[in-house]
Amino acid sequence: MAEREIPEQYLDGYARLLADVAATGRRLTRDEIAARRALGERAAEAGHGLRALVSAHLSAARAAWPRDCDSVDGALAAVQQAVDAFAEGYERAQRLAVRQEVAARREFIDDLLYGRSDLGRLAERAERFGLRLSHAHAVAVARGPAAYDEGDPVPRQVERALISRFGDRSVLLTTKDGRLLCIAPGHQSEVLTHFAKQAHAATDGGQVAIGRAQTGPGGVVQSYEEALSSLEIAGRLGLDAPVLHAADLLVYPVLARDRQAMTDLVHHTLGPLTAARGGARPLLDTLTAYFDAGCVAAEAARRLSLSVRALTYRLERIHKLTGANPADPAQRYTLQTAVIGARLLDWPADGE
């Protein structure tokens, strides 16, 4: 902003003040300094640039410089005091504006992810942050070994990577409960894929879950909850894939929806394993490795550091105790579903 565009109100009394100080050699009073600070705050709130404001002060000082001044040092000291007070007020207003913006952003994000606000009003506020909630959106959530807040190095690193790759694409990157979040339009899956890659690297191998694209103001909440649920399921099942897609894990919420039925299935199908020497855990781990290996005995044995013969013995023992044969396709489904349920329910408990 050019000097001529700075309204004179922000230089009010400045020339008279300079002349009086030059004539008397006094310093600025506390009230005079406070007045300059207040002018600086108002100039910041009006959106004027600090560089142009300082330039305007220097130009005004040059124009009003006392010709018969006996104390050049005194006049310069007055200019320094006035400009310093003005800049202090300006910076104080800027810091307050930043805090208010951060608070407004955090409040919006909380309302968006918890669905606590009126949806119409929420959609209006979302446009301020580049989101159009009438469109479909998807949410990716990344967790790492530490908790992250906005402004931390890791979120800033990921944000820079996204901006350098995609620029401004109506993407919102933030943090929630120590996790990194990326909210992107539902048709821009490449944005969330790149976020997952960058977040995995920036968090030293953290895990990322991507929810399905959902439509409408409540779609962000649904996608966010799917991503969180995917991370929880991964933790329970020991899934260590760096990127999880909620669409690929839909079977698990379905299985866990009726907790009582799942509990009954686990105890009825796998309960007899508790009678084995050493408890149910070794045989349950055997079933888990066997199913994860696609029911290939050699691969399951390798994963368990067992011989194929030892693995076969364990499978036979499971068949004898439960009455279900893991190698029989007709009986395998019940056993595999029960194994998944056991992992979701964290069964068996210690001592079983």
Side-chain angles (χ1 to χ4, degrees):
M1 187 174 294
E3 293 175 18
R4 66 176 181 275
E5 296 176 312
I6 299 296
E8 292 186 1
Q9 68 189 71
Y10 302 118
L11 300 171
D12 183 38
Y14 179 58
R16 294 193 304 273
L17 181 63
L18 182 60
D20 184 58
V21 169
T24 62
R26 68 177 180 83
R27 304 279 289 179
L28 270 62
T29 66
R30 181 176 299 177
D31 289 343
E32 288 169 338
I33 291 175
R36 306 325 295 181
R37 288 198 193 103
L39 287 172
E41 290 182 10
R42 290 202 291 271
E45 292 167 357
H48 296 289
L50 181 59
R51 179 180 178 183
L53 289 163
V54 171
S55 179
H57 274 76
L58 295 178
S59 296
R62 185 175 58 194
W65 191 264
R67 297 294 181 256
D68 298 327
C69 179
D70 294 331
S71 176
V72 174
D73 287 343
L76 288 175
V79 172
Q80 181 182 5
Q81 276 190 292
V83 173
D84 183 67
F86 188 91
E88 182 184 353
Y90 185 97
E91 292 173 352
R92 185 164 58 190
Q94 290 287 76
R95 288 193 295 270
L96 177 60
V98 169
R99 286 196 296 269
Q100 291 173 338
E101 179 68 17
V102 169
R105 175 185 166 93
R106 175 49 55 189
E107 181 182 7
F108 164 73
I109 290 169
D110 289 344
D111 290 346
L112 178 67
L113 297 179
Y114 288 132
R116 296 183 301 202
S117 178
D118 174 77
L119 293 182
R121 173 62 180 147
L122 188 64
E124 293 178 4
R125 293 162 61 198
E127 293 186 4
R128 175 182 175 186
F129 299 98
L131 300 181
R132 301 183 65 180
L133 296 186
S134 59
H135 298 172
H137 286 83
V139 181
V141 180
R143 65 180 176 190
Y148 307 104
D149 289 321
E150 287 194 60
D152 287 349
V154 166
R156 290 204 307 270
Q157 177 183 337
V158 175
E159 185 173 32
R160 284 195 299 269
L162 285 178
I163 293 174
S164 65
R165 174 77 177 271
F166 301 106
D168 183 9
R169 281 205 188 181
S170 300
V171 175
L172 180 61
L173 185 69
T174 184
T175 60
K176 183 66 179 173
D177 297 329
R179 307 181 187 93
L180 300 181
L181 271 69
C182 182
I183 304 171
H187 65 282
Q188 296 183 7
S189 59
E190 68 277 10
V191 174
L192 295 181
T193 299
H194 191 64
F195 165 80
K197 178 181 178 181
Q198 296 298 323
H200 175 70
T203 57
D204 294 327
Q207 196 169 42
V208 184
I210 302 176
R212 294 178 296 166
Q214 305 286 355
T215 306
V220 172
V221 179
Q222 296 174 29
S223 185
Y224 171 63
E225 290 178 347
E226 280 190 350
L228 284 183
S229 177
S230 297
L231 288 176
E232 181 183 359
I233 288 171
R236 287 183 175 275
L237 298 183
L239 305 178
D240 57 1
V243 182
L244 307 165
H245 292 270
D248 298 334
L249 302 176
L250 290 177
V251 64
Y252 299 112
V254 171
L255 292 175
R257 192 162 294 155
D258 191 336
R259 187 178 181 87
Q260 186 57 53
M262 180 58 71
T263 301
D264 291 344
L265 174 65
V266 169
H267 284 279
H268 175 75
T269 305
L270 302 177
L273 297 181
T274 59
R277 182 182 301 176
R281 175 59 64 186
L283 296 181
L284 182 61
D285 290 343
T286 300
L287 282 174
T288 299
Y290 183 66
F291 292 134
D292 287 348
C295 299
V296 178
E299 174 60 20
R302 185 190 67 79
R303 295 186 182 190
L304 292 170
S305 299
L306 296 174
S307 66
V308 174
R309 182 176 180 179
L311 179 80
T312 302
Y313 172 79
R314 287 192 181 186
L315 293 177
E316 291 173 352
R317 183 65 175 155
I318 291 168
H319 184 190
K320 182 176 181 180
L321 288 170
T322 65
N325 185 0
D328 184 344
Q331 301 175 25
R332 182 185 302 158
Y333 177 75
T334 298
L335 270 175
Q336 189 166 7
T337 304
V339 169
I340 293 172
R343 294 164 78 178
L344 291 173
L345 297 174
D346 197 23
W347 183 92
D350 292 340
E352 290 187 83

